[in-house]
Amino acid sequence: MSNNMKNIEFEIPAYSDWQDAAIKALKGKPFESLFTKTNEGVTLQPLYTQESLVAKLGEELDLQVATIRSLQNDQVFQVAQQIHADSSEAFFAQLEDSLARGNEVITIDSRVSFAWTEEVLVKLASYFSEYSFKITIENSKDPLLAVFDNIPVDQQEAIKGYIISKDPITLTAFPNVRSVSADTTVYHNEGANAVQELAYALALAAKFAEQEESFEAFSKKFFVSFAIDTQFFTEIAKLRAFKVLWKAFSSAYGVTDHVKIPTVAETSLRSFSKLDVYVNLLRSSNEALSGLIGGADLFTVHPHDVLTKPTDQSIRIARNVSLILREETNVLKVKDPAGGSYFIESLTADFVKEAWALFLDIQAAGGIDEYTASGKLAEEVEASYQKRIKAAQTRKQSLIGTNIYANPADILEQETNPLFADIKRIAAPFEDLRADMTAANVKTGILALGSLKNSKPRADFVAGFLNTVGLVPEKSEPVTTVEEAVAWLKATEAKYVVIAGNDDDTKAFVSAILAEKPANVLVDVAGKFKDEEEAWLANGLNGFIFAGQNIIEKLQSVFASMKEVQR
């Protein structure tokens, strides 16, 4: 029997066979409902096949894969643990500890709470002589740059590292320090999507290349910096797409050799939340794995509590995320592990096409500075941010612990790490409204209509809806008469109540309840009732709560109405 099993061959189904099966399973929904449009405007297919990929890219597929692999550095995903400390003593203690426990790249943001004194800089210079580094500075006048004045002349050529700054930094005596960066994290933190980040990276490269004496001199100083978000496949494709775009970019300058440009990356903080902070650990792990598979050369994992104040434990956990991924996943045993994936190769090609087109538009407008001055760049990024925040507030995108499965018992930390205070995080509106609701001691309730079986689905939905801003509604026992409903409304301390029942019970009860409800209680109904809406609103109903609604807009409106009623 086992021999027969070995000889059996299964027929490979065609795409049309799968499509027919999918349409049947959809039970009347259009096949197009399986297509998803990303924030970048790219339409994701429900299934990718070898045939569809070859049809889309043809000979370009082999060229794309070969380009990505030829531009990948041999040593990738070096651990770049950022140092967080309140004093110079704590700074060096943490630096020593991190290096002893697996950190490979000394990573510093110059905006620290202690002074970069001569004594501190001399001590730091001794580390730079032994380890590579990544420093983020404000500008060419940043006091941290004085560290290079303390490195002996005979050691300067051996110093290796990266300087992230808005403008290029000139360090003539340090040929192995890359000090010209296309830092796209500033756009990412404002809401930019992957295509925009790639295009802006090229536009910055074009600007900085013109300032150098030759493209060769420029390429030896240049590197790109990305933040990696939670969209797993998108971020892998983004990192891979940059290599293809860089090849096209350098070719435009007449360069035919494979010029490898380092990719420095870090976990994105725009998806981090101050609520249920341990979920940030899951997000950063997911993001780091994207960076590992995508081929980032240096990677910084931010601690899960970095929005407030990291602890020794959270810093250690963050470092171990990188170490575990690098040492235990075996991903680095494969060059370009995502190469050949029908989906990722297709998405990479889409990003290359869209980002190159946007880059050409920027250049046609006079370059990145002119494009920025015109307001077009800010307009594009803001539009991308609004799409992202709307998706979170309508739950089209889940933010676990914040917009879904929120724990109202969570204490919202008031402390804010000043390094990351200006990031346009999608959790911020939920945090802000929670703080307002908590300060006002808002009392809410759910009036359950009909049997437990009939009322529970909508009651649970409403409770989860209100939990997102820290509200814990008082729930009534299921009521079966108008008298019971009105008696509960008169007895409850809740000033905002949502009626939750199935369609039939809601239609049967609401009009009578509205006629007798206390005037100081704001009442909503769970569900959509288009036929009854006009009459109910006219008779004192505040509104409705339903799936797909903008949570923040709805609850801000409720909060404002409650304050009006209480006056």
Side-chain angles (χ1 to χ4, degrees):
M1 181 175 177
S2 60
N3 288 334
N4 289 336
M5 287 292 290
K6 290 179 182 178
N7 294 327
I8 291 175
E9 290 188 9
F10 294 97
E11 184 179 348
I12 300 174
Y15 183 89
S16 57
D17 296 329
W18 179 88
Q19 185 175 357
D20 291 341
I23 290 172
K24 186 176 180 180
L26 286 169
K27 297 180 180 178
K29 288 185 180 179
F31 180 68
E32 288 71 24
S33 64
L34 297 177
F35 291 70
T36 306
K37 199 157 192 175
T38 71
N39 192 286
E40 291 77 16
V42 173
T43 299
L44 301 182
Q45 306 287 329
L47 180 69
Y48 289 82
T49 65
Q50 183 178 4
E51 291 75 16
S52 65
L53 182 61
V54 171
K56 178 177 181 176
L57 295 182
E59 294 179 358
E60 293 293 319
L61 176 59
D62 287 340
L63 183 60
Q64 175 171 292
V65 173
T67 297
I68 290 168
R69 293 178 182 177
S70 67
L71 294 180
Q72 182 63 59
N73 286 308
D74 295 330
Q75 187 177 20
V76 298
F77 208 72
Q78 287 184 284
V79 180
Q81 174 81 54
Q82 184 167 331
I83 310 301
H84 299 272
D86 292 331
S87 67
S88 60
E89 292 79 13
F91 174 87
F92 285 111
Q94 192 184 123
L95 174 56
E96 281 284 352
D97 183 67
S98 73
L99 293 172
R101 294 177 181 272
N103 186 27
E104 297 170 296
V105 181
I106 298 171
T107 304
I108 306 168
D109 189 314
S110 72
R111 296 170 294 173
V112 294
S113 54
F114 56 87
W116 292 111
T117 63
E118 183 71 16
E119 181 184 1
V120 171
L121 293 172
V122 168
K123 188 172 182 179
L124 183 59
S126 67
Y127 286 94
F128 279 18
S129 299
E130 188 175 351
Y131 299 94
S132 62
F133 60 85
K134 181 186 84 172
I135 62 174
T136 301
I137 62 173
E138 298 277 0
N139 50 49
S140 60
K141 297 179 180 179
D142 196 291
L144 180 54
L145 281 177
V147 68
F148 296 104
D149 298 334
N150 295 284
I151 295 175
V153 174
D154 60 344
Q155 295 179 13
Q156 290 176 350
E157 191 171 337
I159 302 297
K160 293 183 179 180
Y162 303 84
I163 301 175
I164 297 177
S165 174
K166 183 179 179 182
D167 298 312
I169 301 300
T170 302
L171 285 175
T172 309
F174 296 83
N176 291 309
V177 174
R178 291 185 180 263
S179 56
V180 180
S181 64
D183 181 19
T184 67
T185 61
V186 293
Y187 305 112
H188 179 95
N189 291 337
E190 289 290 314
N193 62 40
V195 165
Q196 290 166 342
E197 290 172 45
L198 290 165
Y200 301 158
L202 293 182
L204 286 169
K207 171 188 173 181
F208 298 147
E210 295 300 321
Q211 298 172 0
E212 294 290 337
E213 58 188 40
S214 68
F215 189 83
E216 182 183 5
F218 159 71
S219 62
K220 288 180 179 179
K221 298 178 182 177
F222 181 69
F223 68 99
V224 65
S225 177
F226 289 114
I228 306 299
D229 209 349
T230 54
Q231 303 302 309
F232 188 72
F233 298 108
T234 294
E235 297 301 327
I236 294 172
K238 178 174 80 177
L239 292 176
R240 297 178 81 249
F242 176 75
K243 290 180 172 60
V244 181
L245 289 163
W246 175 256
K247 179 64 176 175
F249 178 83
S250 57
S251 297
Y253 284 84
V255 177
T256 56
D257 297 334
H258 296 306
V259 179
K260 296 180 180 180
I261 295 299
T263 300
V264 171
E266 63 184 67
T267 50
S268 168
L269 294 180
R270 71 184 185 192
S271 60
F272 268 36
S273 176
K274 288 185 177 181
L275 301 168
D276 207 350
V277 293
Y278 286 103
V279 182
N280 292 334
L281 176 57
L282 303 178
R283 293 184 183 109
S284 60
S285 300
N286 175 73
E287 293 164 359
L289 183 56
S290 293
L292 179 64
I293 294 172
D297 295 297
L298 266 70
F299 204 91
T300 299
V301 175
H302 291 296
H304 60 269
D305 53 1
V306 77
L307 296 177
T308 52
K309 188 175 183 179
T311 63
D312 289 343
Q313 182 187 43
S314 67
I315 290 168
R316 182 181 179 186
I317 291 172
R319 180 176 57 249
N320 284 343
V321 167
S322 293
L323 293 172
I324 289 170
L325 290 175
R326 196 179 70 173
E327 303 295 338
E328 298 187 17
T329 62
N330 292 323
V331 169
L332 293 182
K333 292 184 177 180
V334 182
K335 193 165 189 175
D336 184 27
S341 161
Y342 307 146
F343 173 35
I344 294 178
E345 292 293 3
S346 179
L347 192 56
T348 299
D350 287 335
F351 284 176
V352 168
K353 178 183 176 183
E354 297 298 325
W356 189 257
L358 178 55
F359 165 60
L360 294 180
D361 287 345
I362 294 171
Q363 294 306 99
I368 188 79
D369 289 343
E370 290 292 328
Y371 199 71
T372 303
S374 71
K376 192 73 183 341
L377 187 147
E379 183 182 317
E380 288 173 353
V381 172
E382 178 64 19
S384 178
Y385 166 72
Q386 290 300 333
K387 285 182 186 177
R388 183 169 286 104
I389 204 160
K390 182 180 179 182
Q393 293 180 5
T394 56
R395 284 180 171 170
K396 288 182 179 178
Q397 178 185 347
S398 294
L399 198 64
I400 305 299
T402 299
N403 73 348
I404 192 167
Y405 307 125
N407 181 2
D410 271 353
I411 304 299
L412 181 62
E413 291 286 345
Q414 298 303 310
E415 185 174 5
T416 297
N417 189 333
L419 297 184
F420 310 115
D422 296 330
I423 294 174
K424 296 175 81 168
R425 296 182 298 109
I426 58 177
F430 290 91
E431 296 166 6
D432 293 342
L433 189 53
R434 177 183 284 226
D436 291 341
M437 291 283 196
T438 302
N441 194 26
V442 172
K443 302 287 186 181
T444 60
I446 297 174
L447 177 57
L449 293 185
S451 67
L452 177 64
K453 179 182 177 182
N454 289 345
S455 62
K456 192 174 189 305
R458 279 182 173 159
D460 287 349
F461 169 78
V462 172
F465 196 101
L466 297 177
N467 287 168
T468 63
V469 293
L471 298 174
V472 182
E474 175 191 352
K475 294 182 183 178
S476 77
E477 293 296 322
V479 299
T480 55
T481 67
V482 172
E483 290 73 21
E484 288 177 321
V486 173
W488 186 85
L489 283 172
K490 290 180 178 179
T492 182
E493 292 183 2
K495 299 305 177 187
Y496 170 66
V497 172
V498 182
I499 298 174
N502 65 15
D503 284 1
D504 292 338
D505 289 335
T506 304
K507 290 175 183 177
F509 280 80
V510 166
S511 292
I513 291 172
L514 291 174
E516 298 186 49
K517 79 170 184 69
N520 66 337
V521 177
L522 209 63
V523 174
D524 273 350
V525 164
K528 290 182 177 180
F529 296 87
K530 291 185 178 179
D531 293 340
E532 293 78 15
E533 178 178 351
E534 186 177 347
W536 287 353
L537 292 174
N539 289 325
L541 185 72
N542 177 68
F544 301 86
I545 281 184
F546 49 86
Q549 191 174 27
N550 189 304
I551 296 173
I552 296 300
E553 289 180 2
K554 172 61 183 177
L555 294 182
Q556 281 177 337
S557 172
V558 167
F559 191 42
S561 297
M562 288 179 71
K563 288 190 284 188
E564 286 294 323
V565 169
Q566 290 170 4
R567 282 176 182 172

